[in-house]
Amino acid sequence: MCGIAGIFHYETVKPVDPKRVERMTDALAHRGPDGSGVWTAPGVGLGHRRLSIIDLDGSPQPMRSADGRAVIAFNGEIYNYRELRRELERGGAHFRTDGDTETILAAWQKWGVDCLSRLDGMFAFALYDIDRRQLFLARDRFGVKPLYLAQLEGGALAFASEMKGLLANPLMRRVIDPLAIEDYMTWGYVPDHRAILKGVEKLPAGHFLLLDHGRAPGPPQQWWDMDFTRRETGRTEDLSAQLLHLMREGVTSRMVSDVPLGAFLSGGVDSSSVVALMSESSAAPVTSCSIGFDVESVDETAYARQVAKLFATDHHERIVSSDQFGDIDRIAAIFDEPFADASALPTLRVCELAREHVTVALSGDGADEAFAGYRRQAFHAREEQVRSVLPSGLREPVFGTLGRLWPKADWAPRPLRAKTTLLSLGGSGEAGYARALAILSPEQRELLYDAAFLRERGDYRAEQPLEKLMRDAPARSGLDRAQYVDLKFWLPGDILTKTDRTSMSVGLEAREPLLDHRLIEFGARLPHRERLRGTSGKWLMKRTMERYLPDDILYRQKQGFVTPLAEWFRGPLASEARAIASSELLTGNGLFARKALSRLADEHISGRSDHGRVLWQLLMLERSLRHLKPSA
């Protein structure tokens, strides 16, 4: 696992200053504390920071191919590199190292861009072909590994694993993109189709970019996508056997490592399944790491201990206090862009614990998206059934009107909190799912924005890209479309960003075995009843894991990391809530209305409303802007 950075002059071939590339890669030193390197040629420079995982001494980067005609800076792991290597050797390729990096070089020289479909792994890389004078940038299927891009003055493209690598380049402009603020205030993160700074982009998951000297960059090209249009047939028992085989393959392929390896263990279905399958194929006890909380109602360590005891793991746990807000500034620096998923704090803690014992940790990320494990997916499937029997001309006048009139009652029992459901039923399925995912509705955002910001934002709404993605999805049903959007939008923007940044901030490599692309493709083909029964998601996965895990692990209510935001902003962070309203970064530059933010803080602190999550969003945005130091 590593960090990469570089510069490519596409307009005019100019020398690249190695010191400039070195500064960019040094900003990523946390991603690769074990080594660094820079390579330059006319018009191009590649930089690399290395965290040694495989072939510890033999694969320094940037790496040249055996024939010297191509150079690569690579971040990630290719799990099938040994099989690819044998195939390439049969075709005449020669190798000088024992790692996966050189395999990518040889694969490119044999298959060109088609090499991507042969790579099983997580990756972002920059490969320069000296003969073709062409730069090849690529990102893995799901976006496990990040890659930021920025256009620089003078016809150059800079790229880096994190935005801080770009910011180390003195030519970078730091101007906030107002549309990214709209995106962030809707989702709590800046999705992959945008970045917080103007002129910065993210190479989308499953895409590549080819760059030539003398030609302006074209749009990224998609090389992989999910397909929900086909269905598996067969008995449940047969489908379960296929699923178990694919899960085993995903886990065992990701256990290849020349350094200590372990797993995150929360005691939930996904991480417990990974630990079970790791234990099955490991001769030594698996190292498992869990964190708990000093508040019993949100502490899951008893379940984690139960699984650890069941599989005799080498278990480590740490209890942390619920007042973790002392790391707010550190989180802002880790993520660069504003990131309001409060579970980033406990995720950072479990990564710190794991790094004390291992260098690689397997996680359970991806199963909820792949096998319909989120309640919102089940609710959406039900709402789509209602929409299918009521004409749209009737839905909006009835449900839309009721939704607008229904009071917003965060304090009420769930059955009485019907406003979002009614508004959702009044519109299209895509609009309804976007509303279910959003932290703030369009109406709520309008109340917070300054008039100047509303003029600059114009007609754009953050829901529009998600709704289009959902409409155009290769899918057959509402459940398919919801899962497709979660895999393409939510997963790379929130879940994988959180895991990548927190793990790499402490020099830990996190691997996601349940995101093996063959497993995800199989999940997309499963009949509905094998994914979702009633409101119970991941049905076939849970049924399959019954041979390994007890029912109180498989069928208890989903919990996840919980952070007491409401209590924080009525207690130790009350002063921060009030300070938000007077922040020049938020209200002094035409982003937010000062009176609206002041009212938000007062209502929350007094207990009249629960605005904890929104206050956390605003606080993390303010801290991120402090970190970025944007220009006017």
Side-chain angles (χ1 to χ4, degrees):
M1 196 58 58
C2 309
I4 65 172
I7 300 170
F8 180 80
H9 288 282
Y10 58 83
E11 197 168 275
T12 304
V13 177
K14 301 176 182 177
V16 173
D17 182 358
K19 292 292 185 184
R20 185 162 291 184
V21 179
E22 185 177 2
R23 282 196 296 272
M24 294 172 68
T25 53
D26 284 349
L28 307 173
H30 55 283
R31 297 186 71 94
D34 296 331
S36 64
V38 171
W39 174 88
T40 62
V44 62
L46 305 180
H48 188 266
R49 294 289 313 206
R50 187 179 188 211
L51 175 64
S52 300
I53 302 294
I54 293 174
D55 192 19
L56 302 185
D57 300 320
S59 295
Q61 293 189 51
M63 179 183 290
R64 296 190 73 150
S65 59
D67 60 11
R69 295 178 177 176
V71 186
I72 190 172
F74 160 53
N75 169 31
E77 300 290 349
I78 306 302
Y79 304 120
N80 65 332
Y81 80 94
R82 289 193 174 109
E83 297 92 321
L84 282 176
R85 179 186 176 113
R86 288 191 291 269
E87 181 179 356
L88 290 162
E89 284 176 329
R90 288 194 295 270
H94 298 282
F95 294 91
R96 299 161 300 161
T97 68
D98 294 324
D100 52 355
T101 306
E102 194 176 12
T103 305
I104 302 175
L105 285 164
W108 158 260
Q109 291 182 309
K110 183 172 180 62
W111 297 304
V113 296
D114 291 338
C115 71
L116 293 172
S117 63
R118 297 172 177 266
L119 302 180
D120 174 15
M122 54 179 184
F123 55 83
F125 63 76
L127 188 156
Y128 186 70
D129 191 302
I130 296 171
D131 287 348
R132 300 181 190 180
R133 302 180 70 247
Q134 188 175 63
L135 182 68
F136 179 36
L137 302 174
R139 193 174 177 203
D140 65 67
R141 293 168 177 84
F142 301 102
V144 178
K145 293 293 107 186
L147 191 60
Y148 285 79
L149 316 170
Q151 299 278 347
L152 303 178
E153 292 181 5
L157 183 83
F159 54 89
S161 295
E162 297 179 23
M163 190 178 287
K164 54 178 59 70
L166 297 179
L167 295 175
N169 190 308
L171 297 179
M172 268 292 298
R173 296 174 67 243
R174 302 189 183 207
V175 180
I176 297 299
D177 185 343
L179 301 189
I181 299 293
E182 162 73 357
D183 286 333
Y184 170 75
M185 291 306 296
T186 305
W187 312 118
Y189 57 93
V190 182
D192 271 12
H193 62 259
R194 205 176 312 283
I196 191 65
L197 297 180
K198 286 184 176 180
V200 177
E201 301 176 358
K202 301 160 192 169
L203 185 64
H207 283 66
F208 70 87
L209 192 60
L210 283 174
L211 298 162
D212 296 285
H213 298 294
R215 182 185 304 171
Q221 300 179 58
Q222 183 168 273
W223 66 270
W224 184 84
D225 198 8
M226 284 154 289
D227 183 2
F228 280 84
T229 63
R230 296 180 293 147
R231 291 287 183 264
E232 290 282 343
T233 59
R235 300 179 307 155
T236 293
E237 291 75 14
D238 296 330
L239 295 175
S240 176
Q242 291 183 59
L243 177 59
L244 180 58
H245 171 73
L246 290 168
M247 289 177 66
R248 281 173 173 156
E249 288 287 306
V251 169
T252 56
S253 66
R254 283 153 180 80
M255 292 177 68
V256 176
S257 175
D258 293 335
V259 295
L261 176 143
F264 302 135
L265 178 58
S266 69
V269 175
D270 306 336
S271 64
S272 298
S273 297
V274 170
V275 167
L277 296 175
M278 288 178 73
S279 299
E280 180 183 63
S281 61
S282 176
V286 170
T287 300
S288 58
C289 298
S290 305
I291 63 162
F293 298 94
D294 59 359
V295 178
E296 186 177 352
S297 61
V298 298
D299 182 55
E300 295 186 286
T301 50
Y303 297 105
R305 287 184 207 129
Q306 181 182 355
V307 175
K309 183 177 180 181
L310 182 63
F311 297 104
T313 70
D314 176 21
H315 190 58
H316 305 273
E317 69 176 47
R318 181 168 296 155
I319 303 298
V320 299
S321 65
S322 56
D323 57 345
Q324 305 169 60
F325 47 79
D327 269 336
I328 289 173
D329 291 314
R330 183 182 174 194
I331 289 290
I334 285 172
F335 284 87
D336 295 326
E337 295 189 280
F339 191 80
D341 186 336
S343 66
L345 289 164
T347 302
L348 176 61
R349 292 286 176 260
V350 77
C351 288
E352 290 173 332
L353 173 62
R355 190 62 182 89
E356 294 175 10
H357 305 279
V358 298
T359 311
V360 177
L362 273 59
S363 84
D365 290 343
D368 286 317
E369 292 81 4
F371 299 107
Y374 292 124
R375 281 178 293 181
R376 64 175 180 257
Q377 295 164 338
F379 293 155
H380 180 71
R382 265 200 246 163
E383 288 177 5
E384 286 289 76
Q385 290 176 337
V386 175
R387 292 187 185 94
S388 69
V389 297
L390 289 177
S392 59
L394 179 64
R395 290 202 316 269
E396 205 292 323
V398 174
F399 293 115
T401 301
L402 278 173
R404 286 186 288 274
L405 294 174
W406 199 278
K408 190 176 189 303
D410 294 331
W411 49 267
R414 182 173 294 277
L416 298 181
R417 285 184 271 165
K419 187 177 185 72
T420 299
T421 299
L422 290 170
L423 288 171
S424 175
L425 288 172
S428 67
E430 303 89 58
Y433 200 63
R435 190 175 282 272
L437 275 173
I439 296 174
L440 288 174
S441 69
E443 299 83 11
Q444 292 169 318
R445 302 195 301 272
E446 297 277 331
L447 295 175
L448 298 179
Y449 292 145
D450 185 83
F453 177 82
L454 289 171
R455 287 192 296 272
E456 192 170 7
R457 184 195 65 172
D459 295 332
Y460 176 74
R461 300 294 180 274
E463 292 85 356
Q464 291 164 356
L466 184 141
E467 291 175 16
K468 183 179 187 306
L469 183 68
M470 201 165 187
R471 276 194 303 273
D472 298 342
R476 294 169 57 171
S477 70
L479 179 62
D480 292 344
R481 295 180 192 281
Q483 288 185 247
Y484 183 84
V485 162
D486 282 339
L487 283 159
K488 298 281 283 190
F489 196 95
W490 162 265
L491 182 73
D494 186 295
I495 304 301
L496 296 179
T497 295
K498 175 179 63 181
T499 303
D500 175 79
R501 301 304 189 279
T502 53
S503 61
M504 293 309 300
S505 74
V506 297
L508 176 75
E509 175 176 302
R511 297 178 180 177
E512 290 80 9
L514 302 182
L515 278 178
D516 186 288
H517 69 277
R518 291 156 297 198
L519 179 61
I520 299 296
E521 290 166 349
F522 175 75
R525 297 192 302 268
L526 282 175
H528 280 203
R529 66 188 306 273
E530 306 293 0
R531 288 180 260 162
L532 180 65
R533 296 203 182 179
T535 58
S536 179
K538 293 190 289 195
W539 187 86
L540 185 65
M541 179 181 173
K542 292 174 182 176
R543 169 83 176 266
T544 300
M545 294 307 296
E546 284 178 353
R547 70 189 73 186
Y548 295 96
L549 298 169
D551 285 358
D552 58 344
I553 297 295
L554 290 172
Y555 296 106
R556 67 185 174 90
Q557 186 173 347
K558 184 178 177 63
Q559 187 168 329
F561 286 143
V562 178
T563 306
L565 298 177
E567 291 83 352
W568 286 358
F569 285 109
R570 291 192 184 110
L573 291 185
S575 60
E576 293 283 1
R578 292 191 176 94
I580 286 170
S582 58
S583 168
E584 286 298 308
L585 287 169
L586 297 182
T587 63
N589 54 8
L591 290 179
F592 297 94
R594 192 181 298 268
K595 287 184 179 179
L597 299 193
S598 181
R599 184 174 59 252
L600 199 75
D602 289 342
E603 288 178 354
H604 183 85
I605 293 169
S606 69
R608 296 196 303 273
S609 298
D610 181 359
H611 298 310
R613 195 170 179 188
V614 182
L615 289 168
W616 180 256
Q617 266 183 286
L618 291 164
L619 179 60
M620 293 311 299
L621 174 59
E622 197 269 348
R623 290 297 198 272
S624 179
L625 295 178
R626 279 193 204 180
H627 167 72
L628 291 170
K629 298 180 176 62
S631 54

